[in-house]
Amino acid sequence: NAGVTQTPKFQVLKTGQSMTLQCAQDMNHNSMYWYRQDPGMGLRLIYYSASEGTTDKGEVPNGYNVSRLNKREFSLRLESAAPSQTSVYFCASSESAGAPPMPQHFGDGTRLSIL
Amino acid sequence: RKEVEQDPGPFNVPEGATVAFNCTYSNSASQSFFWYRQDCRKEPKLLMSVYSSGNEDGRFTAQLNRASQYISLLIRDSKLSDSATYLCVVNPGLYSSASKIIFGSGTRLSIRP
C-alpha cells in the first residue's frame, strides 16, 4: 500500500513564485490535513478537510489555499511564496473526522525552500 | 508558558537502559493525549495513545498525570532502533476541531551501543 503520497519531495522557489503541493491517499480516509514543521517547533496545522468538499483553516492558514479535489486528493497552494514559508510540509490522513480527529498516517514530507 | 512543552534533549542512553521523559500541558481541560515518533528527516508516526489508566505496548508505557498536567513515556530495554524524536500531542477536547490539536516540539532520544 502506498498510504499517503506527497509530491514533490523537494522544491526550491523564488520569492513571489507560486506552486501546488499534491497529496493523495489510498486508504479511503475521510479526513486529510496539511501541516508545516519548522525547527524547534511542533507541527502546526495549516488546513484540514474533514470530508470531501469541506475545508477548514488551521493554526497558520495565511498565505495558503487548499483544495479537496475528491476523497483521495488534498492539495496545498502557495500563491506568492515568501521566505517565511520555507519549511517541511506534511500531508496526513485519518479514518474519521471525530473523536478525536487525530492524523494517523503521514506522507514523506515536502522540503520547500523559498529564496 | 507554552501550551505543550517537552525537554528537547537529546537524551543519550546506552542500549538496554530504561529511559523516560515527560510532556507538560497547560490546558487542564485537555481530553486526549498521544505520543508520536519521528525518525530523522522522516514523517511522524503514531506510537500510542495515553489513557487515564495508563497504556502499555511492549516495551513502551505511557502514563497520564492529570493533577500535575503531564504525560510520560517510558521505554524499557531500549534498542538502537528506538533512537528518534518523540512528539507529545494534546487534544483539548474529545470532539474538538483538528485545529485545536497541539504538537509538542519533541524530545530527541539517542541510544548508543
Side-chain angles (χ1 to χ4, degrees), chain A residues 37 48 99-100 103 106-107 111, chain B residues 36 38 41 43-44 91 94 97 101:
Chain A
Q37 186 174 36
Y48 72 102
F106 283 80
R111 282 167 175 75
Chain B
Y36 282 67
Q38 186 173 24
R41 299 181 71 79
E43 74 277 18
N91 188 330
L94 192 60
S97 160
I101 298 169

Side-chain angles (χ1 to χ4, degrees), chain A residues 33 35 37 40-43 45 48 57-58 90 99-103 106-108 111, chain B residues 32 34 36 38 41-44 87 89 91 94-99 101 103-105:
Chain A
Y33 314 78
Y35 285 91
Q37 186 174 36
M41 301 184 73
L43 276 77
L45 184 66
Y48 72 102
K57 294 179 180 180
F90 288 103
M102 298 301 298
F106 283 80
D108 292 342
R111 282 167 175 75
Chain B
S32 52
F34 305 83
Y36 282 67
Q38 186 173 24
R41 299 181 71 79
K42 296 287 189 180
E43 74 277 18
L87 310 177
V89 183
N91 188 330
L94 192 60
Y95 294 98
S96 65
S97 160
S99 64
I101 298 169
F103 279 78
S105 53

Side-chain angles (χ1 to χ4, degrees), chain B residues 65-107:
Chain B
N65 185 316
R66 285 197 181 274
S68 300
Q69 294 181 212
Y70 72 88
I71 64 171
S72 63
L73 181 67
L74 182 142
I75 306 173
R76 289 180 297 277
D77 187 23
S78 53
K79 312 290 185 190
L80 295 176
S81 56
D82 294 334
S83 297
T85 296
Y86 290 84
L87 310 177
C88 162
V89 183
V90 177
N91 188 330
L94 192 60
Y95 294 98
S96 65
S97 160
S99 64
K100 302 299 183 185
I101 298 169
I102 304 167
F103 279 78
S105 53
T107 295

Side-chain angles (χ1 to χ4, degrees), chain A residues 56-115:
Chain A
D56 288 286
K57 294 179 180 180
E59 181 185 353
V60 288
N62 292 344
Y64 306 94
N65 285 303
V66 290
S67 178
R68 184 76 183 265
L69 303 170
N70 46 54
K71 194 171 186 179
R72 287 188 65 246
E73 298 171 289
F74 188 37
S75 62
L76 178 72
R77 183 162 178 82
L78 286 71
E79 291 291 351
S80 179
S84 61
Q85 294 177 305
T86 293
S87 188
V88 180
Y89 291 84
F90 288 103
C91 176
S93 71
S94 63
E95 192 169 8
S96 172
M102 298 301 298
Q104 293 172 296
H105 301 275
F106 283 80
D108 292 342
T110 296
R111 282 167 175 75
L112 181 61
S113 293
I114 316 295
L115 305 178

Side-chain angles (χ1 to χ4, degrees), chain B residues 4-111:
Chain B
V4 174
E5 285 196 85
Q6 295 185 254
D7 182 340
F11 284 56
N12 191 338
V13 303
E15 193 173 9
T18 294
V19 60
F21 30 85
N22 295 337
C23 165
T24 59
Y25 60 94
S26 61
N27 184 353
S28 60
S30 296
Q31 293 289 327
S32 52
F33 309 87
F34 305 83
W35 285 104
Y36 282 67
R37 167 199 172 120
Q38 186 173 24
D39 293 312
C40 187
R41 299 181 71 79
K42 296 287 189 180
E43 74 277 18
K45 293 182 180 178
L46 180 60
L47 182 64
M48 58 198 305
S49 305
V50 187
Y51 305 124
S52 296
S53 57
N55 188 18
E56 187 172 319
D57 184 3
R59 298 181 293 108
F60 295 79
T61 300
Q63 297 275 4
L64 166 63
N65 185 316
R66 285 197 181 274
S68 300
Q69 294 181 212
Y70 72 88
I71 64 171
S72 63
L73 181 67
L74 182 142
I75 306 173
R76 289 180 297 277
D77 187 23
S78 53
K79 312 290 185 190
L80 295 176
S81 56
D82 294 334
S83 297
T85 296
Y86 290 84
L87 310 177
C88 162
V89 183
V90 177
N91 188 330
L94 192 60
Y95 294 98
S96 65
S97 160
S99 64
K100 302 299 183 185
I101 298 169
I102 304 167
F103 279 78
S105 53
T107 295
R108 191 153 63 93
L109 174 64
S110 178
I111 308 298

Side-chain angles (χ1 to χ4, degrees), chain A residues 15-68:
Chain A
T15 297
Q17 286 186 314
S18 63
M19 80 160 293
T20 300
L21 280 63
Q22 306 287 353
C23 176
Q25 51 91 9
D26 62 1
M27 296 169 283
N28 202 36
H29 284 172
N30 286 311
S31 299
M32 297 186 74
Y33 314 78
W34 275 107
Y35 285 91
R36 61 177 288 173
Q37 186 174 36
D38 301 295
M41 301 184 73
L43 276 77
R44 291 183 292 169
L45 184 66
I46 304 171
Y47 271 94
Y48 72 102
S49 170
S51 61
E52 183 180 351
T54 66
T55 61
D56 288 286
K57 294 179 180 180
E59 181 185 353
V60 288
N62 292 344
Y64 306 94
N65 285 303
V66 290
S67 178
R68 184 76 183 265

